[in-house]
């Protein structure tokens, strides 16, 4: 019997879960994952996104209705009675001096807290990643350990400390400066940890070439590290801005009436027995629109920071 005849009569081997072409047989989960990129899945994701936007749409519509209309029926009735829409709530809100002051207090708290965290964390992260100094690893471990310290633990000790800091008629407790410093202190550990890991992934050859050209550490940081770390720094800035802008807990503890941000002002407008949607709805939407605008303005850098390091 020839070799070809023996091969023809030999029993076919079991495919062990493989097809005729040798490709592995796809399981149910694999087939489901493979179909996630289809048109039906994309349409489902669009529906989910629209569903998540319903509360924001309801807040916008409620802010454009009078208090009487909001108490009389749900916000969706505006689609059958568009005459309910009015900007009187915004005119009344912007006419309140305490709300305008709280808006600028929010800006005065958020912008310095974001800039200081980004600048200090960038320089510290570069030092931890590429500079040699005694105790570097132990100091970085201390920074990592600070990540697990909750904000609530430091509220009372820091409040006592702020109460003792007073000079020239200025008291730290209840001031914008005190709120900013608290946000900076608790924002730095995560910021340093995030940027250090990103900076450490930058090729060493770039830094060595810059040093051979006579560049100082400051020059290397400014002209090499900072531009290459732009996406990660922008992502950190967005996160820090959103965290500080939407904060209520720290403001409740450390801010007084003259330094309160919008979150505390809105909380103070809550009534016990009756609703004041004509104040809360436009105020909440004004508080929402600023960080939303910041996110969309820097979303390109945010996406680059999220995807950084995923490809070589």
């Amino acid at each position: 019997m020839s070799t070809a005849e023996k091969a023809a009569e030999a029993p076919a081997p079991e495919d062990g879960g493989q097809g005729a072409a040798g490709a592995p047989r796809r399981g149910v989960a694999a087939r489901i994952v493979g179909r996630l990129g289809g048109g039906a899945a994309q349409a489902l994701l669009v529906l989910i996104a629209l569903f998540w936007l319903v509360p924001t749409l309801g807040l916008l519509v409620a802010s454009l209705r009078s208090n009487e209309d909001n108490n009389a029926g749900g916000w969706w009735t505006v689609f059958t009675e568009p005459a309910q829409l009015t900007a009187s709530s915004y005119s009344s809100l912007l006419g309140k001096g305490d709300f305008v002051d709280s808006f600028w207090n929010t800006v005065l708290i958020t912008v310095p807290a974001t800039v200081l965290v980004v600048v200090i964390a960038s320089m510290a992260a570069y030092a931890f990643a590429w500079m040699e100094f005694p105790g570097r690893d132990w100091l970085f471990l201390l920074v990592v350990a600070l990540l697990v310290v909750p904000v609530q633990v430091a509220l009372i000790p820091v409040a006592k400390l702020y109460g003792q800091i007073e000079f020239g008629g200025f008291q730290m407790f209840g001031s914008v400066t005190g709120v900013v410093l608290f946000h900076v202190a608790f924002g730095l550990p995560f910021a340093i940890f995030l940027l250090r890991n990103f900076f450490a992934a930058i090729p060493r050859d770039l830094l060595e070439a810059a040093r051979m050209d006579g560049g100082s550490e400051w020059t290397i940081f400014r002209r090499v590290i900072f531009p290459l770390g732009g996406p990660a720094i922008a992502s950190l800035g967005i996160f820090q801005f959103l965290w500080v802008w939407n904060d209520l807990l720290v403001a409740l503890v450390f801010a007084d009436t003259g330094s309160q941000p919008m979150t505390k002002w809105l909380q103070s407008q809550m009534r016990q027995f009756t609703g004041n949607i004509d104040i809360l709805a436009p105020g909440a939407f004004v508080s929402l629109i600023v960080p939303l605008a910041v996110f969309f303005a820097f979303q390109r850098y945010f996406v680059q920071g999220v995807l950084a390091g995923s490809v070589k």
Side-chain angles (χ1 to χ4, degrees):
M1 182 180 295
S2 64
T3 305
E5 292 175 344
K6 291 181 180 179
E9 294 181 359
E14 296 182 359
D15 57 4
Q18 301 201 4
R25 182 180 299 171
R26 304 177 68 190
V28 177
R31 290 196 296 269
I32 294 176
V33 172
R35 293 176 180 176
L36 289 180
Q42 293 180 0
L44 178 61
L45 293 176
V46 171
L47 291 177
I48 294 175
L50 294 176
F51 179 77
W52 276 95
L53 288 176
V54 168
T56 304
L57 176 63
L59 177 65
L60 174 61
V61 173
S63 67
L64 294 173
R65 301 172 73 207
S66 64
N67 198 33
E68 293 77 12
D69 291 333
N70 284 320
N71 292 331
W75 60 268
W76 50 86
T77 59
V78 74
F79 296 108
T80 57
E81 301 178 30
Q84 296 179 2
L85 297 177
T86 177
S88 59
S89 297
Y90 285 94
S91 300
S92 176
L93 180 70
L94 297 178
K96 296 180 178 294
D98 52 351
F99 173 78
V100 177
D101 292 339
S102 68
F103 175 84
W104 289 114
N105 286 335
T106 307
V107 175
L108 292 176
I109 292 172
T110 306
V111 174
T114 302
V115 173
L116 288 174
V117 166
V118 169
V119 172
I120 297 175
S122 299
M123 293 187 291
Y126 170 69
F128 281 124
W130 293 109
M131 295 179 64
E132 297 289 342
F133 56 89
R136 183 189 67 173
D137 295 335
W138 286 107
L139 287 175
F140 183 70
L141 289 177
L142 177 61
V143 171
V144 174
L146 291 175
L147 291 173
V148 302
V149 179
V151 176
Q152 294 81 355
V153 172
L155 291 177
I156 295 179
V158 174
K160 291 181 178 180
L161 177 63
Y162 280 0
Q164 299 173 359
I165 300 177
E166 184 177 0
F167 52 90
F170 171 79
Q171 187 170 3
M172 185 69 73
F173 188 85
S175 65
V176 171
T177 304
V179 180
V180 170
L181 292 179
F182 190 92
H183 281 300
V184 171
F186 272 86
L188 280 176
F190 173 77
I192 294 174
F193 175 76
L194 176 69
L195 293 182
R196 185 265 178 189
N197 293 338
F198 185 89
F199 291 168
I202 295 176
R204 181 182 294 271
D205 294 343
L206 294 177
L207 279 70
E208 295 297 336
R211 291 191 178 97
M212 292 179 62
D213 291 339
S216 62
E217 296 294 344
W218 170 247
T219 302
I220 295 173
F221 171 76
R222 184 168 52 91
R223 296 189 176 182
V224 179
I225 298 295
F226 203 81
L228 292 177
I233 294 173
S235 301
L236 172 64
I238 292 174
F239 279 124
Q240 180 69 14
F241 186 93
L242 296 179
W243 288 335
V244 179
W245 184 275
N246 295 321
D247 170 74
L248 175 61
L249 178 61
V250 177
L252 285 174
V253 176
F254 297 105
D256 57 14
T257 305
S259 60
Q260 64 180 358
M262 281 190 298
T263 51
K264 185 176 180 179
W265 185 89
L266 291 172
Q267 187 272 338
S268 67
Q269 301 302 308
M270 297 291 294
R271 298 172 186 170
Q272 184 174 4
F273 299 107
T274 58
N276 53 345
I277 304 178
D278 57 323
I279 296 177
L280 294 177
F285 197 79
V286 171
S287 178
L288 165 71
I289 198 66
V290 174
L292 192 65
V294 170
F295 177 80
F296 280 113
F298 295 96
Q299 65 172 340
R300 177 168 62 92
Y301 301 100
F302 177 76
V303 174
Q304 291 177 1
V306 171
L307 297 179
S310 60
V311 294
K312 296 292 184 180

